Amino acid sequence: MQLCAFDVLALGGEDLRGLPLSMRKTNLERLLHRRPEGIFVNPFETGAIGPDLFRAACGMGLEGLVSKRADRPYKGGPSKDWIKVKNRTHHTFDRVHKAKARAR
């Protein structure tokens, strides 16, 4: 089994959602510093999602990429502070869109 951690919203009873993403990532790294094998912290990459990065993600079989602003606090739900770019060739893409169409 593998786990890939992207963010930490609370730690030791403290709500971290008001902190910028960059600080939450630092807290996550500290929390999982001596993590067991199979637990990964998703790296914090700087820069834009460009065509080369997106092609590489698709080539790895990923569902897509999410780009978030490092200086923003956590907000649940859609936000102007993040964007998700979906891999239309990923096997989950058709299932999700067909399910949404049936629900209408």
Side-chain angles (χ1 to χ4, degrees), residues 9-60:
L9 303 180
L11 184 60
E14 183 181 351
D15 185 354
L16 303 180
R17 292 176 294 179
L19 296 177
L21 176 61
S22 58
M23 291 180 72
R24 296 192 319 270
K25 286 275 196 185
T26 299
N27 279 295
L28 182 62
E29 276 288 347
R30 287 184 188 142
L31 174 67
L32 297 176
H33 176 69
R34 295 177 183 232
R35 58 190 169 264
E37 191 172 323
I39 297 180
F40 304 93
V41 176
N42 200 56
F44 191 69
E45 303 290 340
T46 57
I49 294 178
D52 293 338
L53 178 61
F54 184 67
R55 273 192 293 277
C58 292
M60 293 169 57

